Amino acid sequence: MSLEPFIYSFVARGTMILAEYTEFTGNFPAIATQCLQKLPSSNNKFTYNCDHHTFNFLVEDGYAYCVVAKDSVGKQISIAFLERMKADFKKRYGGGKADTAIAKSLNKEFGPVMKEHMKYIIEHAEEIEKLLKVKAQVSEVKSIMLENIDKAIDRGENLTTLADRTENLRDQAQAYRNQGTKIRRKMWYQNMKIKLVVLGILVLLILVIWLLVCHGFDCTN
């Protein structure tokens, strides 16, 4: 199968290309190398557009993985190829061989491997695109869930504040009830005292009247 969608690919340590592969002739290697010289050293993904082609880079731990593709190839497909190539490269040379390899010394070993990864990605492009869409949807749902959790946390804080205010109001209401009970009890005692005083006065008046009456009519006979 033709590898036409993918034009050129390489793996570099820093700015030194350790392995490269292409089935085409042209200035793609030169342009890709120029881009490599200008890449930031931080781990990231980069894509440059030039003459209806994309120059896609994956930078990780001091290594740069590149693929040049026709602009008809989706960026995510190119990145999927770079991820696959990176994983294979690290598996094969992660023990230290890549750290001491000289320029293009891994062409013979890893060049054919890069070709096979190109072929695999092209043959499974449709399935990979579907998988990437599912991952994107999962990521979107995850983001929405995280956003909802954040909002729930914010609401939780508001509810906590409201609960605290409610608790304070309840305490104040209880204090008012207690104070009201004390006042009612005090008023009841005062009323009782007044009633007793009035009752005592009435009893005293009755006694005085009785004595007067008895004195006037000689109650002893």
Side-chain angles (χ1 to χ4, degrees), residues 48-64:
Y48 303 96
N49 296 289
C50 180
D51 193 24
H52 304 295
H53 291 81
T54 59
F55 292 73
N56 306 275
F57 293 87
L58 171 60
V59 179
E60 184 174 299
D61 300 332
Y63 285 83

Side-chain angles (χ1 to χ4, degrees), residues 187-200:
M187 292 179 65
W188 184 82
Y189 286 131
Q190 289 177 345
N191 289 334
M192 286 300 297
K193 287 180 181 179
I194 293 172
K195 288 178 181 179
L196 289 173
V197 170
V198 171
L199 181 61

